[in-house]
Amino acid sequence: MARPLAEDLPPEALRILKQASRLTSPCGEGDMVWHAWGDGEPLVLLHGGSGSWAHWIRNVEALAAGGRRVLVPDLPGFGDSERPPGNGDADGVVPVLAEGLPYLLGMQAVDIVGFSFGGLCAGLLAAAHPELVRQLVLVGAPGFGLREKRLTLVAWQHLDDPHARESAHRRNLATLMLHRPESVDALAVAVQAANVPHDRMRRRKLAMTDVLLRNLPAIECPVDAIYGEHDALYSGGMLAELERLLAAAPRFGRLVLIPEAGHWVQFEAPAAFHAALHQLLDERKPKAT
């Protein structure tokens, strides 16, 4: 295993991390590392590709303060977690999650919010293991077959100069993750710089396919979605098409678009994101009889 993620995280992330409990579940030849904040009903957050729990750095405290036990893993092959056995893509992550959730929480269905690659993993999990997912909220998730090419990002691995690396991370955040220039702030760059060297799942391809779309009809739980209105993965009017495709889920509810936000919507517009998420979760709560 490479150096611990905490050695690369900025002070704000370390402050938040100190408030969490550290948990582990089996993953390949090692562990999947989880962090948990708060008490109450479990709410599982899954981060995006080349990420870690820190993709939720502006969310975990607020969601825990709202009365939930917030559990966020470093997904297999990211952060401090071991690679999944065999397949190094979303479908290889699913069996590890399917083992890890009951390992930590027992056999109960929980609410899962999946961002980007984490949304793809969460959707495949919900289709394959309906007993584990009570409600699914997709956030900027790919896998609908709407894109033919990846966005062009700046290579940074070969750069020794720290200023050149920072510039590359800033440009990549502006290209893919964040819409407003002022959102590419020091914290965003620091989180990005910490996360990306810990990505050991670089051959991922499923996000460019329609694998999530093909699995939507098999998802039995309520499905909702939150996307930034300016998500770079869905430019050129694709969000309207996305809403039509999401209706393939038998219990699809709503797609909420957050204004003035890009792909990493929960970081760029945390207050609006929290309001939308709370509303979607409250709307789907079983009514008391």
Side-chain angles (χ1 to χ4, degrees):
M1 178 69 68
R3 56 190 279 152
L5 177 65
E7 293 185 9
D8 299 323
L9 289 171
E12 174 66 0
L14 296 178
R15 179 191 68 79
I16 294 170
L17 193 58
K18 285 180 181 178
Q19 302 173 30
S21 301
R22 187 181 188 275
L23 309 168
T24 60
S25 61
C27 178
E29 297 180 355
D31 295 319
M32 178 161 59
V33 176
W34 302 67
H35 303 286
W37 292 261
D39 298 297
E41 283 188 290
L43 177 65
V44 175
L45 310 179
L46 303 182
H47 65 75
S50 299
S52 72
W53 74 266
H55 269 168
W56 302 97
I57 190 170
R58 287 183 169 165
N59 315 108
V60 292
E61 291 177 300
L63 295 174
R68 301 300 292 260
R69 185 185 183 206
V70 181
L71 295 105
V72 192
D74 289 347
L75 289 171
F78 302 98
D80 287 329
S81 294
E82 185 58 72
R83 279 180 54 87
N87 187 356
D89 210 323
D91 52 352
V93 169
V94 168
V96 184
L97 285 171
E99 181 180 9
L101 287 167
Y103 186 89
L104 297 177
L105 300 172
M107 285 305 299
Q108 62 171 310
V110 298
D111 298 331
I112 300 183
V113 183
F115 165 56
S116 197
F117 176 78
L120 177 55
C121 294
L124 298 182
L125 176 73
H129 298 276
E131 73 281 2
L132 297 180
V133 187
R134 184 172 71 175
Q135 179 175 351
L136 172 64
V137 181
L138 300 171
V139 181
F144 293 92
L146 293 177
R147 295 190 61 84
E148 296 181 356
K149 295 181 179 179
R150 298 182 184 274
L151 296 175
T152 302
L153 300 179
V154 178
W156 55 269
Q157 294 90 337
H158 66 290
L159 299 173
D160 295 324
D161 178 31
H163 296 292
R165 279 200 169 202
E166 179 180 324
S167 177
H169 294 319
R170 285 186 176 277
R171 290 172 62 186
N172 289 340
L173 285 166
T175 297
L176 171 59
M177 298 287 272
L178 298 165
H179 169 62
R180 291 178 286 119
E182 61 268 28
S183 297
V184 186
D185 59 16
L187 181 60
V189 174
V191 168
Q192 179 82 350
N195 278 340
V196 292
H198 291 263
D199 179 356
R200 285 147 284 134
M201 301 272 281
R202 295 188 178 277
R203 297 183 180 273
R204 305 186 306 275
K205 296 180 180 179
L206 284 177
M208 296 299 296
T209 73
D210 65 348
V211 64
L212 182 53
L213 177 62
R214 287 186 278 112
N215 276 271
L216 285 180
I219 298 178
E220 299 175 2
C221 69
V223 176
D224 294 280
I226 304 172
Y227 283 64
E229 197 173 54
H230 299 278
D231 191 322
L233 295 184
Y234 292 92
S235 59
M238 279 192 270
L239 284 171
E241 177 68 5
L242 174 66
E243 186 166 22
R244 184 185 70 80
L245 296 177
L246 283 165
R251 299 180 66 188
F252 173 63
R254 292 197 291 137
L255 166 62
V256 178
L257 298 180
I258 304 297
E260 295 304 308
H263 184 58
W264 195 5
V265 56
Q266 74 271 25
F267 182 91
E268 189 160 23
F273 175 83
H274 297 152
L277 179 59
H278 283 305
Q279 185 173 19
L280 292 175
L281 294 174
D282 288 344
E283 287 174 356
R284 301 295 198 135
K285 276 186 180 177
K287 299 294 186 289
T289 56

